[in-house]
Amino acid sequence: MLDESKKKKLLPKHFSFNTPGGRCEKCEGSGELTITMHFLPDVQVKCPVCHGRRFQKSILEVQYKGFSISDILQMTIAEASAVFCDVPPIMDRLTVWQKVGLGYLSLGQSATTLSGGEAQRVALAARLVLRPKVLLLDEPTANVDEASAILIKEAVLRAVKEWKTTVVVATHDLLWL
């Protein structure tokens, strides 16, 4: 929706590193290249074309409040909250992510780098942002560390209180009772 985007006739897909069009095609939007080291572990190197920024130069020229899409994806959720404080649809999501204790994650962080507890909280945040009337949780704290389990429980209790959500929990964790 930015003027610069409109001038360049860019669509939302151009700001995704998952689809061709705006991403760097050399690294396919990963920002890194994998060098196969036969008989040794593979090595990751910064992409020589985009220099780790994941997008084509024309996309990086489009900025929101002085930040390119690459800059924004490197921000933590907490940092992004300051930038997008005047954009309610984005703030709704960022606020929920912070409430489940994920404010330290970067927006562009790969899902494969998340711990089990973080992945569980990401899934919970995706549901909570919809402000459901009923939330069904099946073993929500299984295989997560104690700190994540506490954050999950607090987020669920907050949803019950703030949004009057009915929560059904199937668990062996007696602390839910």
Side-chain angles (χ1 to χ4, degrees):
M1 303 304 285
L2 299 172
D3 290 339
E4 185 71 17
S5 305
K6 291 175 184 176
K7 278 188 229 172
K8 294 182 177 192
K9 298 182 180 172
L10 298 174
L11 302 171
K13 73 175 188 171
H14 293 105
F15 295 91
S16 171
F17 52 79
N18 293 318
T19 57
R23 73 180 182 187
C24 172
E25 291 305 325
K26 176 73 175 177
C27 63
E28 295 183 333
S30 71
E32 299 177 328
L33 298 176
T34 301
I35 298 176
T36 304
M37 304 290 289
H38 303 286
F39 307 111
L40 293 170
D42 292 347
V43 176
Q44 303 290 337
V45 296
K46 193 179 286 189
C47 176
V49 174
C50 69
H51 306 287
R53 304 222 40 215
R54 303 167 108 175
F55 293 90
Q56 296 173 16
K57 186 175 184 237
S58 63
I59 302 301
L60 295 171
E61 291 169 350
V62 177
Q63 296 193 349
Y64 178 76
K65 294 185 178 181
F67 298 102
S68 71
I69 185 67
S70 180
D71 298 330
I72 291 168
L73 290 173
Q74 290 177 30
M75 291 178 185
T76 65
I77 291 166
E79 292 167 341
S81 294
V83 174
F84 294 103
C85 60
D86 57 346
V87 186
I90 295 174
M91 277 308 298
D92 288 347
R93 286 167 172 70
L94 295 177
T95 300
V96 170
W97 282 53
Q98 288 187 85
K99 286 182 178 180
V100 296
L102 296 173
Y104 62 91
L105 292 181
S106 67
L107 294 176
Q109 185 167 340
S110 171
T112 60
T113 65
L114 299 175
S115 71
E118 289 168 336
Q120 209 49 336
R121 288 183 280 150
V122 165
L124 178 61
R127 298 291 177 255
L128 290 177
V129 79
L130 302 173
R131 297 185 181 197
K133 293 297 176 198
V134 178
L135 185 62
L136 175 61
L137 301 173
D138 183 16
E139 295 285 351
T141 55
N143 301 317
V144 300
D145 59 277
E146 186 177 343
S148 289
I150 290 168
L151 288 168
I152 290 168
K153 291 171 190 174
E154 288 175 354
V156 169
L157 291 173
R158 195 174 294 113
V160 168
K161 183 178 177 184
E162 290 180 18
W163 304 317
K164 311 238 184 301
T165 300
T166 300
V167 179
V168 179
V169 181
T171 184
H172 292 94
D173 183 350
L174 296 177
L175 294 175
W176 280 93
L177 301 176

